[in-house]
Amino acid sequence: MSSSKHRYRITVTPIEADGLQCSGRCTIEFEQRSPRDWMRELEEAQRQRRLSCNEAAGVVVATGLLEALAAAARGDGHPLATLQPELDGLIARLRARRPAQ
């Protein structure tokens, strides 16, 4: 397996209708390692201006997490093993430069 030189802490906190964070036990937090530099990828996605800032951030984090899950699920019969080919295609399409106009 390739080296995972980048570490990320992912935090998901619901926002209440009044705009405040929820109270009590409502935050999901975990660590994810990745060989990819998500910060550089986000900067590149924002430069391309194909997605809004929130969409770009969501795509970078989501594909990074899915890629890590797919890599961990390479064994036969694992329910996530089929992710990798589809994910590779999605990432390639997202990284493709916008055609010249």
Side-chain angles (χ1 to χ4, degrees):
M1 183 175 217
S2 63
S3 169
S4 296
K5 63 181 183 176
H6 301 281
R7 290 175 52 191
Y8 302 96
R9 182 177 319 275
I10 292 90
T11 304
V12 179
T13 304
I15 300 173
E16 298 293 332
D18 58 7
L20 299 174
Q21 292 184 5
C22 66
S23 59
R25 290 182 64 176
C26 59
T27 297
I28 301 167
E29 186 171 278
F30 60 98
E31 182 177 303
Q32 182 64 54
R33 293 178 180 269
S34 176
R36 295 173 30 199
D37 183 344
W38 295 359
M39 303 309 284
R40 186 192 53 73
E41 290 179 21
L42 179 57
E43 290 169 357
E44 178 60 29
Q46 290 173 337
R47 272 194 295 278
Q48 290 182 14
R49 296 180 185 249
R50 294 171 62 192
L51 301 169
S52 72
C53 290
N54 282 339
E55 290 171 332
V59 165
V60 168
V61 173
T63 56
L65 291 172
L66 286 171
E67 191 170 57
L69 287 170
R74 296 211 188 270
D76 288 337
H78 194 288
L80 300 177
T82 59
L83 276 176
Q84 197 63 55
E86 295 294 328
L87 187 58
D88 288 342
L90 172 63
I91 290 170
R93 287 189 301 275
L94 290 169
R95 288 183 178 163
R97 297 266 183 198
R98 194 179 335 182
Q101 298 177 355

